[in-house]
Each structure stands twice: as C-alpha cells, then as structure tokens.
Amino acid sequence: MTDIIRLLPDSVANQIAAGEVIQRPASVVKELVENAIDAGATLVNIYLKDAGKTQVQVIDNGCGMSETDARLAFERHATSKIRDSKDLFSIHTLGFRGEALASIAAVAEVQVCSKRTGDELGTQINIAATQVTGQTPVQCPDGTIFTVKKLFYNVPVRYKFLKSDSTERNHILNEFKRIALACENVSFSITDDKTEIYRLPITNLRQRIINLFGNPIKQHLLNIETETTLVKIHGFITKPEYAKKSFGEQFFFANGRFIKHPYFHKAIVQAYSGILPPEYIPGYFIYLEVPSDSIDINIHPTKTEVKFEEEHAIYQILFSSVKQVLGKFNVVPSIDFEKSNSIQIPVLRPDTKIYMPQITVDTGYNPFETSDNYRQGQHDRQNLQNWESLYTGFENENRQPDIFTDTVNSENESLQTTTSTHFQLKGKYILTSVKSGLMLIDQKRAHERILFEQYCVQMLNHSSASQQSLFPETVELSPDEMMLWLELRSDFSALGFDIQSVGDFKVNIHGHPGETGKKNPAALLCKLLDEFRHTETDLFESHRERLAALLAQESAIRYNQILTTEEIDHLVEKLFNCAIPNYSPSGKQVMYILKMEEIEKYFL
Ligand code: ADP
Ligand code: MG
C-alpha cells in the first residue's frame, strides 16, 4: 500500500483560502483600497466594469512597490505590515494578514503596475490563477495601479453565486462608504462603466458624510464628542426624524477601522428609545478610540467583528453620550423617569414659556374598582371604542371608498350591503363564510396581491395609470439613490412614474402611479429606492416585477384601516380574480381556512 496524504498545490490552497477573503467584487474593492490607504495614498480612484464582475481597477498615489516586493506581495502570508507576533497587538494598518493579494490572484487575472517615488522605472507584473505570467519594467506614475479582471473565471460555482449588477454595486458602495468615512483625509472617486458615482475631495468628517449621503442629511447631524480614560468617542448621530426603517446609515469605527458591533448598536438604539417609533433605526457615525492593546481585531478574517476589553463600560458611556446629545438638542424630554434614578433638572431658558399645570380628570375612573379590574375596565372601554369605530364607515355617508379606483355601483350598493357575508376583524382580517368553514383573509396582503397583478398587466400593456401633478416636485437624491434610479428609470416609467433628472442629484416628479393612496410621490420614490437597495430576493423575474411588488406593498391599504362593506366585497372579489390569490407578491400567506371540523371541536 502506498501513502495517501499529499500536500495541496499552492494554487488549490490559495483558492480555498480565497473563499474566506474574496466573496464578491466588493471584497476585491475593499482589499485593494485598504492596501492603497496603508500605502499612504492621498488619492484613490476606483474604476469598475459591470459592477466589478468584469473588472476592478484601483489607482493610488501611495508609496509603490519595488520589483521584488511586487512579486512577493502575491505570496500567501506576505506582508510588510507586521514582523512578529507582538506587532499583532499594536496594529495601525488596515491589512496585516498578507493574504488578500494571494487570494485575489488565485481567483482572477491580475495586473499590477507600481513605482516608488525616486525610482526611474516602475514594474509591471501579470498573474492569473496564482501563476506569474510575466514581469517587465514599465513607465508609470508614482504609486500603484491594480487591475483585477474576470473575477472567479476559474471557479464557476462562485461566479454563479454573484447577484445582479445592482446588488453587487450596492455591496461595493457599502464597502466604499465604510472606507471613505474612515479616511476623510484621502480623496476618492468611484466610477462604474463610465458613470462617476462619487467624487470625494479631502475634507472634514461632517462634509464627507454629506458628500456621501446627500444634502438632505445636513440639517440632521448632531455632533457627539466624549472623552474618558477608557475610550474617546467622536462623530455624529442623526436626529430622530431622520431615522429610517432600513439599515444603511449606521457606522462604527474603532481606531480608524470600520467595525460591526451589535452590542454597541443596542446602546444607541436604547438611547433613542421612546422618541423613535418601533422599527425605526437611528443613523450614526461613531468613532471610538481605545488603546490598541485593549481591542482584538484578529478574531474574524474579514475583520469587521472586534472584541473590546471594556465592552460593558463602553456601552454605558456610549448610551449616556448619545442620550446627552439628544437631550441637549431638545429632542428628548429632559426627565426620563423610566431610565434613570437620578434627578435631572430641566434647563430653563429665557425664552421658555411657562404654563400653568393642567389637571386632567379620568371620568371613567371608579374608585371602587381594584387596580386590576380598573385596568380591565379601561381595556373593555377601549375595546368598545374599537368596536364602535368598526361601524364608522357605515355611518359616514360622504366617505369615499378611496382605496379602489373603481367606483361602487350605487344601485348594487344596498343589495351588496345587506347580502354581504364578509366581516372585518380588528381592522386587519376579513372573515368570510366558505363551503368548508370560515375563511380569514389578511387585508393588506390581499390588496398587495391585487395591486401587484394589476401593475404587472398594465406594464405589459403599456397602460399604467399616471397621475400628473400640477407642479412638479423636486427631490434631492443621494448619489447612490441617483445611480439606482438611473438604472431603474425605464421600470419606474413603466409603472406610471414621470420623473426627469434636473442635474445635481435632483429629479423632478411630474407624475406618479394613479393608485397609490395618499402617499406623497417624493416620499414614495425615496422609499422604493431605499427598499430596492436593502432587500434582496430571488422571487421576481425582473427588476420591474420587484419594483411592482414594492409599489404594491407601499400602496396597499394598511392594517387598522376600517373598510366599508363595499370595499370589503370588492377586495374579496378582486382577490379571487387574481392568478395567485393565496400568496402576497413577497410570498406570504394571504388567507387561511378555519375548517368546520376544527370549529366544531370547540363545541364538543
Ligand atoms: P496585507 O495588506 O495584509 O499586508 P496584502 O495581501 O493585502 O496583505 O498585501 C501584501 C503586501 O503588498 C502589503 O503588505 C504591501 O506591502 C504590498 N501592497 C499591496 N498593495 C499595495 C499598494 N497599493 N501600494 C503599495 N504596496 C502594496
Ligand atoms: Mg491588504
């Protein structure tokens, strides 16, 4: 018998290692740009083709590499940034593992041109699948030009898992923002297929945030600054009214490096509690400085998760700093009985109006009720109110059924009202009797399904209803919203939006889809772009369908919306005319049947 254990060839070992470091074009951008920063560059230009799938090029004016270093840089564990293990505890560079270039070279074609200041000529090296295919002296500017082509050309399974260009571009822009926010003293640009997405001059942090997220964020930034022996904190938080339902503007940096930190995130969210509606996430750009030996950045290969020695103390410091800033800008009540035991004295300013204390009397209070049944009493009264509000739709004769464009035939109205077997429960479900039992329909999901199918048909027939505005509304978009809108503009217009670009990241909305309820068109556009950017799904065949689903989600009737009998009848009828009535466009159950046998079990 022969021995069976063999050493893997370098190319295979590198490909395996690459799996951890290089997952998508965004990882290439991140590694190359971080190397440029570590090389002391003050100018970094990024050029992409097909959202980086075909090519990522990064040009920097950093220190450059010698002929030998340029070759060595691609060896695994080749780094100029640490020499021995004690250096691991005082890392001041973004990279230090020496595996990024080896990983990239294992799964793509790479060309590097690099020249150190003072060298007469630079060096050019070509590598593909870990093999150096040539190295020659070249004329090139000081600094380094990395060109990475055909990512995953030799690993088809990985290539297959890449998402659409807009998704991959989104990942790249996320990495880009993280680095750009950490290095406001470096000028950056990023261009995809000839469209320049960002050009960021060297500036201060506040202006860098504005350049990245667009002008609208400007008046919502609150400065935060705290210095303790454990940690120094600086940066910005955003005012509560700027909070959004999706993630995208939450950034922590530790010693100049972007990090993710769910626990510190909680500290911030906690500080906003009570002043933000549930599900809204405050925006923040928080920079923590701690002694480098009190932090371990070595626990994750892509290095976004880090461990702090004094996590609990930092949580507290962060929580109170944010709370204090919110209080200072008068966005939280100064006394918060639930959160603190200490007494805080509200600041009295010369312009503060003084009001007489008001007494409100709860006329429903019965002193003979115990506290428990008092609460129950209140609860019952509330229920009664809900119950009564259920019928307000019937009582108000002038009420327009504003959610359906089709008007109800008045001759049938009374007939439908008296014969209707549908019933709305708690402003959320429609109950209706069917052959096999009792059917429960989720009203919002049902309406989403109806609108979605309607939009799809209209788009197919080029007959989308557009409601023209008397005066166009101007909306300022952030650079990446603009980029996404440019990509989706034909889909937006197919849906009934009439939007024109007026330059400077501004667009004018001249018209919007007819059936969108009372939604403000500008808010609707921003919401759709935001949702499109932050949700990823393989459910839809095209961007157009996905956009239609999002529009349906935004335009559908809400929960707690009381429906008239006619509206309920219409909803049910339209739902059952849908091709797929059982599921909402995003795949959620629309209806459920409570079988007779199940019901009967309750009465045995
Ligand atoms: P690490 O950044 O962890 O050291 P990399 O594989 O990313 O590992 O890079 C290997 C080495 O190549 C770096 O340590 C650095 O010396 C050199 N290098 C990479 N990119 C550049 C660049 N843009 N300019 C100068 N040197 C670079
Ligand atoms: Mg590196």
Side-chain angles (χ1 to χ4, degrees), residues 491-553:
D491 304 318
F492 269 102
S493 69
L495 269 173
F497 279 98
D498 178 1
I499 305 174
Q500 307 293 332
S501 165
V502 285
D504 247 5
F505 298 111
K506 287 185 186 137
V507 294
N508 276 353
I509 307 184
H510 296 272
H512 61 276
E515 210 170 314
T516 52
K518 295 192 179 74
K519 277 256 149 60
N520 164 287
L524 185 63
L525 172 67
C526 293
K527 190 75 206 289
L528 289 176
L529 289 171
D530 197 47
E531 289 282 323
F532 199 93
R533 264 196 312 155
H534 292 109
T535 52
E536 195 172 302
T537 162
D538 294 328
L539 273 175
F540 303 105
E541 276 181 9
S542 61
H543 282 350
R544 198 162 279 201
E545 261 197 15
R546 190 167 143 210
L547 206 56
L550 290 175
L551 181 64
Q553 222 170 58

Coordinates of all heavy atoms in Angstrom, one line a residue, residues 491-553:
D491 N -38.1 51.2 -15.7 CA -39.0 50.5 -14.9 C -40.0 51.4 -14.2 O -41.2 51.1 -14.1 CB -38.3 49.5 -14.0 CG -37.3 48.6 -14.7 OD1 -37.7 48.1 -15.8 OD2 -36.2 48.5 -14.2
F492 N -39.4 52.5 -13.6 CA -40.2 53.4 -12.9 C -41.3 54.0 -13.9 O -42.4 54.2 -13.5 CB -39.4 54.6 -12.3 CG -38.9 54.3 -10.9 CD1 -37.6 53.8 -10.7 CD2 -39.8 54.4 -9.9 CE1 -37.2 53.6 -9.4 CE2 -39.4 54.2 -8.6 CZ -38.1 53.7 -8.3
S493 N -40.8 54.3 -15.1 CA -41.8 55.0 -16.0 C -42.9 54.0 -16.5 O -44.0 54.3 -16.7 CB -41.2 55.7 -17.1 OG -40.6 54.9 -18.0
A494 N -42.4 52.7 -16.6 CA -43.4 51.7 -17.0 C -44.5 51.6 -15.9 O -45.7 51.2 -16.2 CB -42.8 50.3 -17.2
L495 N -44.2 51.8 -14.7 CA -45.1 51.7 -13.6 C -46.0 53.0 -13.5 O -47.0 53.0 -12.7 CB -44.4 51.6 -12.2 CG -44.1 50.2 -11.7 CD1 -43.2 50.3 -10.5 CD2 -45.3 49.5 -11.4
G496 N -45.7 54.0 -14.2 CA -46.6 55.2 -14.2 C -45.9 56.4 -13.6 O -46.5 57.4 -13.3
F497 N -44.6 56.3 -13.2 CA -43.9 57.5 -12.7 C -43.4 58.3 -13.9 O -43.0 57.8 -14.9 CB -42.6 57.1 -11.9 CG -42.9 56.7 -10.5 CD1 -43.0 55.3 -10.2 CD2 -43.1 57.6 -9.5 CE1 -43.3 55.0 -8.9 CE2 -43.3 57.3 -8.2 CZ -43.4 55.9 -7.9
D498 N -43.5 59.6 -13.8 CA -43.0 60.5 -14.8 C -41.9 61.4 -14.1 O -42.2 62.3 -13.4 CB -44.1 61.4 -15.4 CG -43.6 62.3 -16.5 OD1 -42.4 62.3 -16.7 OD2 -44.4 63.1 -17.0
I499 N -40.7 61.0 -14.3 CA -39.6 61.6 -13.5 C -38.5 62.1 -14.4 O -38.1 61.3 -15.3 CB -39.0 60.6 -12.5 CG1 -40.1 60.1 -11.6 CG2 -37.9 61.3 -11.6 CD1 -39.6 59.0 -10.6
Q500 N -38.0 63.3 -14.3 CA -37.0 63.8 -15.1 C -35.8 64.2 -14.2 O -36.0 64.8 -13.2 CB -37.4 65.1 -15.9 CG -38.7 65.0 -16.7 CD -38.5 64.0 -17.8 OE1 -37.4 63.9 -18.4 NE2 -39.6 63.4 -18.2
S501 N -34.6 63.9 -14.7 CA -33.4 64.3 -14.0 C -33.2 65.8 -14.3 O -33.3 66.3 -15.4 CB -32.2 63.5 -14.5 OG -31.0 64.1 -14.0
V502 N -32.8 66.6 -13.2 CA -32.6 68.0 -13.5 C -31.1 68.3 -13.0 O -30.8 69.5 -12.8 CB -33.6 69.0 -12.8 CG1 -34.9 68.9 -13.5 CG2 -33.8 68.6 -11.3
G503 N -30.3 67.3 -13.0 CA -28.9 67.5 -12.6 C -28.7 67.7 -11.1 O -29.6 67.8 -10.4
D504 N -27.4 67.6 -10.7 CA -27.0 67.9 -9.3 C -27.7 66.9 -8.4 O -28.2 67.3 -7.3 CB -27.5 69.3 -8.9 CG -26.2 70.1 -8.7 OD1 -25.1 69.6 -8.9 OD2 -26.4 71.3 -8.3
F505 N -27.9 65.7 -8.8 CA -28.6 64.7 -8.0 C -30.1 65.1 -7.6 O -30.6 64.7 -6.6 CB -27.9 64.4 -6.7 CG -26.5 63.8 -6.9 CD1 -25.4 64.6 -6.6 CD2 -26.3 62.6 -7.5 CE1 -24.1 64.1 -6.9 CE2 -25.1 62.1 -7.7 CZ -23.9 62.9 -7.4
K506 N -30.6 65.9 -8.5 CA -32.0 66.2 -8.3 C -32.9 65.7 -9.4 O -32.5 65.7 -10.6 CB -32.2 67.8 -8.2 CG -31.6 68.3 -6.9 CD -31.9 69.8 -6.8 CE -31.2 70.4 -5.6 NZ -30.6 71.6 -5.9
V507 N -34.1 65.3 -9.1 CA -35.1 64.9 -10.1 C -36.4 65.6 -9.8 O -36.7 66.0 -8.7 CB -35.3 63.4 -10.1 CG1 -34.1 62.6 -10.5 CG2 -35.8 62.9 -8.7
N508 N -37.1 65.8 -10.9 CA -38.5 66.4 -10.8 C -39.5 65.3 -11.0 O -39.4 64.6 -12.0 CB -38.7 67.5 -11.9 CG -38.1 68.8 -11.4 OD1 -37.7 68.9 -10.3 ND2 -38.1 69.8 -12.3
I509 N -40.5 65.2 -10.1 CA -41.5 64.2 -10.3 C -42.7 64.9 -10.9 O -43.3 65.8 -10.3 CB -42.0 63.6 -9.0 CG1 -40.7 63.0 -8.3 CG2 -43.0 62.5 -9.2 CD1 -41.1 62.3 -7.0
H510 N -43.0 64.6 -12.2 CA -44.2 65.2 -12.9 C -45.4 64.4 -12.7 O -46.5 64.9 -12.8 CB -43.9 65.4 -14.4 CG -42.7 66.3 -14.6 ND1 -42.9 67.7 -14.8 CD2 -41.4 66.1 -14.7 CE1 -41.7 68.2 -15.0 NE2 -40.8 67.3 -15.0
G511 N -45.3 63.1 -12.5 CA -46.4 62.3 -12.4 C -46.1 61.0 -11.6 O -44.9 60.6 -11.6
H512 N -47.1 60.4 -11.0 CA -46.8 59.1 -10.3 C -48.0 58.2 -10.5 O -49.0 58.6 -11.0 CB -46.6 59.5 -8.8 CG -47.9 60.1 -8.2 ND1 -48.1 61.4 -8.3 CD2 -48.9 59.6 -7.5 CE1 -49.2 61.7 -7.7 NE2 -49.7 60.6 -7.2
P513 N -47.8 56.9 -10.2 CA -48.8 55.9 -10.5 C -50.1 56.3 -9.8 O -50.1 56.9 -8.7 CB -48.3 54.6 -9.8 CG -46.8 54.8 -9.7 CD -46.6 56.3 -9.6
G514 N -51.2 56.1 -10.5 CA -52.5 56.6 -10.0 C -52.9 56.0 -8.7 O -53.3 56.8 -7.8
E515 N -52.8 54.7 -8.6 CA -53.4 54.1 -7.4 C -52.4 53.9 -6.2 O -52.0 52.8 -5.9 CB -54.0 52.7 -7.8 CG -55.1 52.4 -7.0 CD -55.8 51.1 -7.6 OE1 -56.0 51.1 -8.8 OE2 -56.1 50.2 -6.8
T516 N -52.0 55.0 -5.7 CA -51.0 54.9 -4.6 C -51.5 55.5 -3.3 O -50.8 55.9 -2.4 CB -49.7 55.6 -4.9 OG1 -50.0 56.9 -5.3 CG2 -48.9 54.9 -6.0
G517 N -52.8 55.6 -3.2 CA -53.4 56.1 -2.0 C -53.0 57.6 -1.8 O -52.9 58.3 -2.8
K518 N -52.8 58.0 -0.6 CA -52.5 59.4 -0.4 C -51.0 59.6 -0.2 O -50.5 60.6 0.4 CB -53.2 59.9 0.9 CG -54.7 59.9 0.7 CD -55.4 60.6 1.8 CE -56.9 60.6 1.6 NZ -57.6 59.3 1.9
K519 N -50.2 58.7 -0.7 CA -48.7 58.7 -0.5 C -48.2 60.0 -1.2 O -48.5 60.3 -2.3 CB -48.1 57.5 -1.1 CG -48.1 56.3 -0.2 CD -46.7 56.1 0.4 CE -46.7 55.5 1.8 NZ -47.4 54.2 1.9
N520 N -47.2 60.6 -0.5 CA -46.5 61.7 -1.2 C -45.5 61.1 -2.2 O -44.7 60.3 -1.9 CB -45.8 62.5 -0.1 CG -44.7 63.4 -0.6 OD1 -43.7 63.0 -1.0 ND2 -45.0 64.7 -0.6
P521 N -45.6 61.6 -3.5 CA -44.8 61.0 -4.5 C -43.3 61.0 -4.2 O -42.6 60.0 -4.5 CB -45.1 61.8 -5.8 CG -46.4 62.5 -5.5 CD -46.5 62.7 -4.0
A522 N -42.8 62.1 -3.6 CA -41.4 62.2 -3.4 C -41.0 61.1 -2.3 O -40.0 60.4 -2.5 CB -41.0 63.6 -2.9
A523 N -41.8 61.0 -1.3 CA -41.5 60.1 -0.2 C -41.6 58.6 -0.8 O -40.8 57.8 -0.5 CB -42.5 60.2 0.9
L524 N -42.6 58.5 -1.7 CA -42.8 57.1 -2.3 C -41.5 56.7 -3.1 O -41.0 55.6 -3.0 CB -44.0 57.2 -3.2 CG -44.5 55.9 -3.8 CD1 -44.8 54.9 -2.7 CD2 -45.6 56.1 -4.8
L525 N -41.0 57.7 -3.9 CA -39.9 57.4 -4.8 C -38.7 57.0 -3.9 O -38.0 56.0 -4.1 CB -39.5 58.6 -5.6 CG -38.2 58.6 -6.4 CD1 -38.3 57.5 -7.5 CD2 -37.8 59.9 -7.0
C526 N -38.4 57.8 -2.8 CA -37.3 57.5 -1.9 C -37.5 56.2 -1.2 O -36.5 55.4 -1.1 CB -37.1 58.6 -0.9 SG -36.6 60.2 -1.6
K527 N -38.7 55.9 -0.8 CA -39.0 54.7 -0.1 C -38.7 53.5 -1.1 O -38.1 52.5 -0.7 CB -40.4 54.7 0.3 CG -40.9 53.6 1.2 CD -40.4 53.8 2.6 CE -40.2 52.5 3.4 NZ -41.4 51.9 3.8
L528 N -39.2 53.6 -2.3 CA -39.0 52.5 -3.3 C -37.5 52.2 -3.5 O -37.1 51.1 -3.5 CB -39.7 52.8 -4.6 CG -41.2 52.7 -4.5 CD1 -41.8 53.1 -5.9 CD2 -41.7 51.3 -4.1
L529 N -36.8 53.3 -3.7 CA -35.3 53.2 -4.0 C -34.6 52.5 -2.8 O -33.8 51.6 -2.9 CB -34.7 54.5 -4.3 CG -35.1 55.1 -5.6 CD1 -34.6 56.6 -5.7 CD2 -34.5 54.3 -6.8
D530 N -35.0 53.0 -1.6 CA -34.4 52.5 -0.4 C -34.7 51.0 -0.2 O -33.8 50.2 0.1 CB -35.0 53.3 0.8 CG -34.2 53.2 2.0 OD1 -33.0 53.3 1.9 OD2 -34.8 53.0 3.1
E531 N -36.0 50.7 -0.4 CA -36.4 49.3 -0.2 C -35.7 48.4 -1.3 O -35.3 47.3 -1.0 CB -37.9 49.1 -0.4 CG -38.7 49.7 0.7 CD -38.7 48.7 1.9 OE1 -38.8 47.5 1.7 OE2 -38.7 49.2 3.1
F532 N -35.6 48.9 -2.5 CA -35.0 48.2 -3.5 C -33.5 47.9 -3.2 O -33.0 46.8 -3.4 CB -35.0 48.9 -4.9 CG -34.9 48.1 -6.1 CD1 -35.9 47.5 -6.7 CD2 -33.6 47.8 -6.5 CE1 -35.8 46.7 -7.8 CE2 -33.4 46.9 -7.6 CZ -34.5 46.4 -8.3
R533 N -32.9 48.9 -2.6 CA -31.4 48.7 -2.3 C -31.2 47.8 -1.1 O -30.2 47.1 -1.1 CB -30.9 50.1 -1.8 CG -30.2 50.8 -2.9 CD -29.4 51.9 -2.4 NE -30.0 52.8 -1.5 CZ -29.4 53.5 -0.6 NH1 -28.1 53.4 -0.5 NH2 -30.0 54.3 0.2
H534 N -32.2 47.7 -0.2 CA -31.9 47.0 1.0 C -32.6 45.6 1.1 O -32.4 44.9 2.1 CB -32.3 47.8 2.2 CG -31.4 49.0 2.4 ND1 -31.8 50.3 2.2 CD2 -30.0 49.0 2.7 CE1 -30.7 51.1 2.4 NE2 -29.7 50.4 2.7
T535 N -33.4 45.3 0.1 CA -33.9 44.0 0.1 C -33.4 43.2 -1.1 O -33.3 43.7 -2.1 CB -35.5 44.0 0.0 OG1 -35.8 44.8 -1.1 CG2 -36.1 44.6 1.2
E536 N -33.1 42.0 -0.8 CA -32.6 41.1 -1.9 C -33.5 39.9 -2.0 O -33.7 39.3 -0.9 CB -31.2 40.8 -1.6 CG -30.4 40.2 -2.8 CD -29.0 40.1 -2.4 OE1 -28.3 41.1 -2.1 OE2 -28.5 39.0 -2.5
T537 N -33.9 39.6 -3.1 CA -34.8 38.4 -3.2 C -34.7 37.8 -4.6 O -34.5 38.5 -5.6 CB -36.2 38.7 -2.9 OG1 -37.1 37.7 -3.3 CG2 -36.7 40.0 -3.5
D538 N -34.8 36.5 -4.7 CA -34.8 35.8 -6.0 C -36.2 35.5 -6.4 O -36.5 34.8 -7.4 CB -34.0 34.5 -5.9 CG -32.6 34.8 -5.6 OD1 -32.1 35.8 -6.0 OD2 -31.9 34.0 -4.9
L539 N -37.2 36.1 -5.7 CA -38.6 35.8 -6.0 C -39.1 36.3 -7.4 O -40.0 35.7 -8.0 CB -39.5 36.4 -5.0 CG -39.8 35.6 -3.7 CD1 -40.6 36.5 -2.8 CD2 -40.6 34.3 -4.0
F540 N -38.5 37.4 -7.9 CA -39.1 38.0 -9.0 C -38.2 37.8 -10.3 O -37.0 37.6 -10.2 CB -39.2 39.5 -8.8 CG -40.1 39.7 -7.6 CD1 -39.5 40.1 -6.4 CD2 -41.4 39.5 -7.6 CE1 -40.3 40.3 -5.2 CE2 -42.2 39.7 -6.5 CZ -41.7 40.1 -5.3
E541 N -38.9 37.8 -11.4 CA -38.2 37.5 -12.7 C -37.4 38.7 -13.2 O -36.5 38.6 -13.9 CB -39.2 37.1 -13.7 CG -39.6 35.7 -13.6 CD -40.5 35.2 -14.6 OE1 -40.8 36.0 -15.5 OE2 -41.0 34.0 -14.4
S542 N -37.9 39.9 -12.8 CA -37.2 41.1 -13.3 C -37.2 42.2 -12.3 O -38.0 42.1 -11.3 CB -37.9 41.6 -14.6 OG -39.2 41.9 -14.3
H543 N -36.4 43.2 -12.5 CA -36.4 44.4 -11.6 C -37.8 45.0 -11.6 O -38.3 45.5 -10.6 CB -35.4 45.5 -12.2 CG -34.0 45.1 -11.8 ND1 -33.6 44.1 -11.0 CD2 -32.8 45.7 -12.2 CE1 -32.3 44.1 -10.9 NE2 -31.8 45.0 -11.6
R544 N -38.4 45.0 -12.8 CA -39.7 45.6 -13.0 C -40.7 45.0 -12.1 O -41.5 45.6 -11.4 CB -40.1 45.4 -14.5 CG -41.1 46.3 -14.9 CD -41.1 46.4 -16.4 NE -40.1 47.3 -16.9 CZ -40.1 47.9 -18.1 NH1 -41.1 47.6 -18.9 NH2 -39.2 48.7 -18.5
E545 N -40.7 43.6 -12.0 CA -41.6 42.9 -11.2 C -41.4 43.2 -9.7 O -42.3 43.4 -8.9 CB -41.5 41.4 -11.4 CG -42.5 40.8 -12.3 CD -42.6 39.3 -12.2 OE1 -42.1 38.7 -11.2 OE2 -43.2 38.7 -13.1
R546 N -40.1 43.3 -9.4 CA -39.8 43.5 -8.0 C -40.2 44.9 -7.6 O -40.7 45.1 -6.5 CB -38.2 43.4 -7.8 CG -37.8 43.4 -6.4 CD -36.4 42.9 -6.3 NE -35.7 43.6 -5.2 CZ -34.4 43.9 -5.2 NH1 -33.7 43.5 -6.3 NH2 -33.9 44.6 -4.3
L547 N -40.0 45.8 -8.5 CA -40.4 47.2 -8.2 C -42.0 47.3 -8.1 O -42.5 48.0 -7.2 CB -40.0 48.1 -9.4 CG -39.7 49.6 -9.0 CD1 -38.7 49.7 -7.9 CD2 -39.2 50.3 -10.3
A548 N -42.6 46.5 -8.9 CA -44.1 46.5 -8.9 C -44.6 45.9 -7.5 O -45.5 46.4 -6.9 CB -44.7 45.6 -10.0
A549 N -43.8 44.9 -7.0 CA -44.2 44.3 -5.7 C -44.0 45.3 -4.6 O -44.8 45.4 -3.7 CB -43.4 43.1 -5.5
L550 N -42.9 46.1 -4.7 CA -42.6 47.1 -3.7 C -43.6 48.2 -3.7 O -44.1 48.7 -2.7 CB -41.2 47.7 -3.8 CG -40.0 46.7 -3.5 CD1 -38.7 47.4 -3.8 CD2 -40.1 46.3 -2.1
L551 N -44.0 48.6 -4.9 CA -45.0 49.7 -5.0 C -46.4 49.2 -4.5 O -47.1 49.9 -3.8 CB -45.2 50.1 -6.5 CG -46.2 51.2 -6.7 CD1 -45.8 52.5 -6.1 CD2 -46.4 51.4 -8.2
A552 N -46.7 47.9 -4.7 CA -47.9 47.3 -4.2 C -47.9 47.3 -2.7 O -48.8 47.7 -2.0 CB -48.1 45.9 -4.7
Q553 N -46.7 47.0 -2.1 CA -46.5 47.0 -0.7 C -46.8 48.4 -0.1 O -47.4 48.5 0.9 CB -45.1 46.6 -0.4 CG -44.9 45.6 0.7 CD -43.5 45.1 0.8 OE1 -42.6 45.9 0.9 NE2 -43.4 43.8 0.6

